[in-house]
Amino acid sequence: SSDKTVKLWDAASGAQKSSLEGHTYSVTSVSFAPDGKTLASGSRDNTVKLWDAASGSHKSSLGGHIPGNPSCKCQHTDEDGDEDYKHNPMCPVEGHTRAVNSVAFAPDGKT
């Protein structure tokens, strides 16, 4: 969405369930994990954000070549809401230099 949000809708009623905010530019792609518990969103802000699909809470951000992350390490938000740029072997992201146009999960939901 060009309003920088991800909207979740009830398919039966058409009512909006939630609006996920956190991207700084247009959201270009969304994908649910196979188990339906996690939603990934890609944006023109060069990030992929992971969300808890049930609560709509932000789980983590996978950043790339963006201000504040010069070494291109994975950007995560810890439990306190602080941005963290530690290397995480479960997240070997090298970093995007342009918009993220599409996101998808592997069928096993692990990547």
Side-chain angles (χ1 to χ4, degrees), residues 39-54:
L39 176 72
S41 59
S43 170
R44 298 187 65 82
D45 66 7
N46 305 351
T47 66
V48 173
K49 293 192 180 293
L50 301 178
W51 310 86
D52 181 287

Side-chain angles (χ1 to χ4, degrees), residues 62-75:
L62 310 178
H65 297 272
I66 57 175
N69 190 3
S71 61
C72 303
K73 293 182 180 176
C74 293
Q75 176 186 4

Side-chain angles (χ1 to χ4, degrees), residues 5 17 29 37 40 43 47-48 56 62 69 86 91 93 106 110:
T5 66
K17 293 175 66 175
S29 180
K37 294 180 180 180
S43 170
T47 66
V48 173
L62 310 178
N69 190 3
K86 294 179 182 175
C91 177
V93 174
K110 295 181 181 178

